[in-house]
Short mmCIF file of all heavy atoms in Angstrom, two decimals:
data_model
loop_
_atom_site.label_atom_id
_atom_site.label_comp_id
_atom_site.label_asym_id
_atom_site.label_seq_id
_atom_site.Cartn_x
_atom_site.Cartn_y
_atom_site.Cartn_z
N ARG R 11 -173.68 12.73 66.78
CA ARG R 11 -174.44 13.51 67.82
C ARG R 11 -173.50 14.06 68.91
O ARG R 11 -173.70 15.11 69.36
CB ARG R 11 -175.56 12.56 68.40
CG ARG R 11 -176.47 13.37 69.31
CD ARG R 11 -177.67 12.49 69.63
NE ARG R 11 -178.52 12.20 68.57
CZ ARG R 11 -179.60 12.81 68.24
NH1 ARG R 11 -179.98 13.84 68.92
NH2 ARG R 11 -180.28 12.43 67.22
N ALA R 12 -172.53 13.18 69.32
CA ALA R 12 -171.64 13.61 70.32
C ALA R 12 -170.76 14.85 69.84
O ALA R 12 -170.55 15.70 70.59
CB ALA R 12 -170.69 12.50 70.74
N GLU R 13 -170.38 14.82 68.57
CA GLU R 13 -169.72 15.93 67.99
C GLU R 13 -170.48 17.23 68.08
O GLU R 13 -169.96 18.25 68.45
CB GLU R 13 -169.36 15.64 66.56
CG GLU R 13 -168.69 16.73 65.77
CD GLU R 13 -167.24 16.97 66.11
OE1 GLU R 13 -166.54 16.03 66.50
OE2 GLU R 13 -166.80 18.14 66.12
N ARG R 14 -171.69 17.11 67.69
CA ARG R 14 -172.62 18.34 67.82
C ARG R 14 -172.74 18.81 69.24
O ARG R 14 -172.93 20.00 69.46
CB ARG R 14 -174.00 18.01 67.27
CG ARG R 14 -174.03 17.89 65.73
CD ARG R 14 -175.39 17.90 65.17
NE ARG R 14 -176.34 16.88 65.67
CZ ARG R 14 -176.48 15.66 65.19
NH1 ARG R 14 -175.88 15.31 64.08
NH2 ARG R 14 -177.39 14.90 65.76
N GLY R 15 -172.58 17.97 70.21
CA GLY R 15 -172.68 18.33 71.61
C GLY R 15 -171.33 18.63 72.25
O GLY R 15 -171.23 18.77 73.48
N GLY R 16 -170.30 18.76 71.47
CA GLY R 16 -169.03 19.19 71.97
C GLY R 16 -168.20 18.06 72.52
O GLY R 16 -167.17 18.28 73.23
N LEU R 17 -168.59 16.83 72.21
CA LEU R 17 -167.84 15.67 72.66
C LEU R 17 -167.26 14.88 71.46
O LEU R 17 -167.34 13.69 71.42
CB LEU R 17 -168.72 14.74 73.48
CG LEU R 17 -169.33 15.36 74.67
CD1 LEU R 17 -170.40 14.41 75.36
CD2 LEU R 17 -168.32 15.74 75.72
N GLY R 18 -166.70 15.57 70.61
CA GLY R 18 -166.16 14.97 69.36
C GLY R 18 -164.94 14.06 69.56
O GLY R 18 -164.24 14.18 70.59
N ARG R 19 -164.81 13.21 68.62
CA ARG R 19 -163.67 12.24 68.65
C ARG R 19 -162.44 12.99 68.08
O ARG R 19 -162.54 13.62 66.99
CB ARG R 19 -164.05 10.99 67.80
CG ARG R 19 -163.02 9.97 67.69
CD ARG R 19 -163.56 8.79 66.77
NE ARG R 19 -162.51 7.91 66.43
CZ ARG R 19 -161.75 8.05 65.35
NH1 ARG R 19 -161.98 9.07 64.49
NH2 ARG R 19 -160.78 7.19 65.12
N ARG R 20 -161.30 12.78 68.71
CA ARG R 20 -160.06 13.30 68.11
C ARG R 20 -159.63 12.36 66.92
O ARG R 20 -159.91 11.16 67.00
CB ARG R 20 -158.93 13.27 69.14
CG ARG R 20 -159.22 14.18 70.28
CD ARG R 20 -158.17 14.03 71.35
NE ARG R 20 -158.61 14.69 72.60
CZ ARG R 20 -158.27 14.27 73.82
NH1 ARG R 20 -157.57 13.17 73.96
NH2 ARG R 20 -158.69 14.89 74.82
N PRO R 21 -159.02 12.86 65.93
CA PRO R 21 -158.66 12.04 64.70
C PRO R 21 -157.80 10.80 65.03
O PRO R 21 -158.03 9.76 64.43
CB PRO R 21 -157.81 13.02 63.89
CG PRO R 21 -158.36 14.37 64.22
CD PRO R 21 -158.62 14.31 65.67
N ALA R 22 -156.98 10.86 66.08
CA ALA R 22 -156.16 9.68 66.37
C ALA R 22 -156.75 8.78 67.41
O ALA R 22 -156.19 7.75 67.73
CB ALA R 22 -154.72 10.17 66.81
N ASP R 23 -157.93 9.05 67.93
CA ASP R 23 -158.56 8.20 68.98
C ASP R 23 -158.91 6.90 68.39
O ASP R 23 -159.54 6.85 67.36
CB ASP R 23 -159.81 8.91 69.49
CG ASP R 23 -159.56 9.96 70.55
OD1 ASP R 23 -158.42 10.05 71.06
OD2 ASP R 23 -160.53 10.63 70.93
N THR R 24 -158.62 5.85 69.10
CA THR R 24 -159.18 4.58 68.81
C THR R 24 -160.55 4.47 69.44
O THR R 24 -160.90 5.39 70.31
CB THR R 24 -158.32 3.44 69.43
OG1 THR R 24 -158.46 3.49 70.91
CG2 THR R 24 -156.85 3.49 69.07
N PRO R 25 -161.39 3.59 69.04
CA PRO R 25 -162.71 3.46 69.68
C PRO R 25 -162.63 3.31 71.23
O PRO R 25 -163.38 3.93 71.90
CB PRO R 25 -163.36 2.22 69.02
CG PRO R 25 -162.73 2.24 67.69
CD PRO R 25 -161.29 2.61 67.88
N TYR R 26 -161.64 2.63 71.70
CA TYR R 26 -161.46 2.46 73.17
C TYR R 26 -161.04 3.80 73.81
O TYR R 26 -161.59 4.15 74.79
CB TYR R 26 -160.45 1.37 73.48
CG TYR R 26 -160.92 -0.01 73.28
CD1 TYR R 26 -160.14 -0.92 72.58
CD2 TYR R 26 -162.08 -0.44 73.87
CE1 TYR R 26 -160.54 -2.23 72.40
CE2 TYR R 26 -162.55 -1.77 73.70
CZ TYR R 26 -161.77 -2.67 72.96
OH TYR R 26 -162.13 -3.92 72.78
N GLU R 27 -160.20 4.59 73.17
CA GLU R 27 -159.79 5.86 73.73
C GLU R 27 -160.94 6.82 73.72
O GLU R 27 -161.19 7.50 74.73
CB GLU R 27 -158.62 6.40 72.91
CG GLU R 27 -157.32 5.66 73.16
CD GLU R 27 -156.22 5.98 72.09
OE1 GLU R 27 -156.60 6.46 71.03
OE2 GLU R 27 -155.08 5.77 72.46
N TYR R 28 -161.67 6.82 72.61
CA TYR R 28 -162.85 7.74 72.54
C TYR R 28 -163.87 7.30 73.59
O TYR R 28 -164.47 8.13 74.30
CB TYR R 28 -163.41 7.79 71.15
CG TYR R 28 -164.57 8.68 71.00
CD1 TYR R 28 -164.43 10.05 71.28
CD2 TYR R 28 -165.79 8.25 70.65
CE1 TYR R 28 -165.48 10.92 71.20
CE2 TYR R 28 -166.85 9.09 70.54
CZ TYR R 28 -166.70 10.43 70.77
OH TYR R 28 -167.76 11.32 70.70
N GLY R 29 -164.08 5.99 73.71
CA GLY R 29 -165.08 5.49 74.66
C GLY R 29 -164.67 5.91 76.06
O GLY R 29 -165.60 6.30 76.82
N ALA R 30 -163.41 5.87 76.47
CA ALA R 30 -162.97 6.29 77.74
C ALA R 30 -163.27 7.75 77.98
O ALA R 30 -163.70 8.12 79.05
CB ALA R 30 -161.49 6.01 77.90
N ARG R 31 -163.06 8.60 77.00
CA ARG R 31 -163.34 9.99 77.13
C ARG R 31 -164.88 10.26 77.31
O ARG R 31 -165.27 11.07 78.14
CB ARG R 31 -162.78 10.77 75.96
CG ARG R 31 -161.28 10.92 76.01
CD ARG R 31 -160.70 12.13 75.18
NE ARG R 31 -161.57 13.03 74.57
CZ ARG R 31 -161.91 13.00 73.25
NH1 ARG R 31 -161.46 12.03 72.50
NH2 ARG R 31 -162.74 13.87 72.77
N LEU R 32 -165.61 9.51 76.48
CA LEU R 32 -167.10 9.67 76.62
C LEU R 32 -167.57 9.19 78.06
O LEU R 32 -168.44 9.82 78.61
CB LEU R 32 -167.87 8.86 75.56
CG LEU R 32 -168.07 9.51 74.28
CD1 LEU R 32 -168.94 8.64 73.32
CD2 LEU R 32 -168.75 10.86 74.38
N ARG R 33 -167.00 8.12 78.51
CA ARG R 33 -167.44 7.65 79.85
C ARG R 33 -167.07 8.72 80.97
O ARG R 33 -167.86 8.89 81.88
CB ARG R 33 -166.71 6.32 80.21
CG ARG R 33 -167.26 5.12 79.46
CD ARG R 33 -166.75 3.75 80.02
NE ARG R 33 -165.32 3.74 80.24
CZ ARG R 33 -164.43 3.43 79.31
NH1 ARG R 33 -164.80 3.06 78.16
NH2 ARG R 33 -163.12 3.39 79.58
N GLU R 34 -165.95 9.40 80.83
CA GLU R 34 -165.54 10.40 81.73
C GLU R 34 -166.55 11.54 81.72
O GLU R 34 -166.88 12.10 82.76
CB GLU R 34 -164.14 10.98 81.42
CG GLU R 34 -163.05 10.01 81.78
CD GLU R 34 -161.70 10.56 81.31
OE1 GLU R 34 -161.59 11.76 80.95
OE2 GLU R 34 -160.75 9.75 81.32
N ARG R 35 -166.96 11.96 80.52
CA ARG R 35 -167.85 13.06 80.37
C ARG R 35 -169.30 12.75 80.63
O ARG R 35 -170.14 13.63 80.95
CB ARG R 35 -167.75 13.68 78.94
CG ARG R 35 -166.38 14.22 78.58
CD ARG R 35 -165.97 15.50 79.28
NE ARG R 35 -166.83 16.57 78.95
CZ ARG R 35 -166.67 17.34 77.92
NH1 ARG R 35 -165.67 17.18 77.00
NH2 ARG R 35 -167.47 18.38 77.74
N LEU R 36 -169.69 11.45 80.38
CA LEU R 36 -171.07 10.95 80.65
C LEU R 36 -171.03 9.74 81.53
O LEU R 36 -171.44 8.61 81.09
CB LEU R 36 -171.70 10.59 79.32
CG LEU R 36 -171.65 11.60 78.15
CD1 LEU R 36 -172.07 11.02 76.80
CD2 LEU R 36 -172.56 12.78 78.55
N PRO R 37 -170.64 9.88 82.77
CA PRO R 37 -170.54 8.73 83.63
C PRO R 37 -171.82 7.94 83.81
O PRO R 37 -171.77 6.70 83.99
CB PRO R 37 -170.06 9.30 85.00
CG PRO R 37 -170.27 10.82 84.87
CD PRO R 37 -170.36 11.19 83.42
N ASP R 38 -172.98 8.57 83.71
CA ASP R 38 -174.17 7.85 83.89
C ASP R 38 -174.59 7.03 82.61
O ASP R 38 -175.45 6.19 82.70
CB ASP R 38 -175.38 8.83 84.25
CG ASP R 38 -175.56 9.89 83.12
OD1 ASP R 38 -174.51 10.37 82.58
OD2 ASP R 38 -176.73 10.25 82.82
N ALA R 39 -173.79 7.19 81.60
CA ALA R 39 -174.03 6.44 80.35
C ALA R 39 -172.82 5.51 80.03
O ALA R 39 -172.75 4.99 78.98
CB ALA R 39 -174.23 7.45 79.18
N ALA R 40 -171.98 5.30 80.96
CA ALA R 40 -170.75 4.51 80.78
C ALA R 40 -171.00 3.11 80.27
O ALA R 40 -170.38 2.63 79.28
CB ALA R 40 -169.95 4.42 82.03
N GLU R 41 -171.98 2.42 80.83
CA GLU R 41 -172.35 1.05 80.40
C GLU R 41 -172.79 1.03 78.94
O GLU R 41 -172.42 0.20 78.13
CB GLU R 41 -173.42 0.45 81.23
CG GLU R 41 -173.67 -1.01 80.95
CD GLU R 41 -174.76 -1.64 81.81
OE1 GLU R 41 -174.81 -1.20 82.99
OE2 GLU R 41 -175.39 -2.58 81.38
#
């Protein structure tokens, strides 16, 4: 769903790295 919304995971991202990027883009959903 994030990919469809333009927030896709980079191939080399670990789950923690991807989570950090999502938190930056969706601060209200960080938790």
Side-chain angles (χ1 to χ4, degrees):
R11 189 172 294 264
E13 174 75 32
R14 288 194 304 268
L17 300 174
R19 180 180 166 270
R20 297 177 194 143
D23 278 350
T24 68
Y26 285 128
E27 291 167 335
Y28 182 60
R31 284 200 9 259
L32 274 183
R33 285 192 313 272
E34 288 174 13
R35 300 287 299 275
L36 305 170
D38 58 324
E41 185 177 334

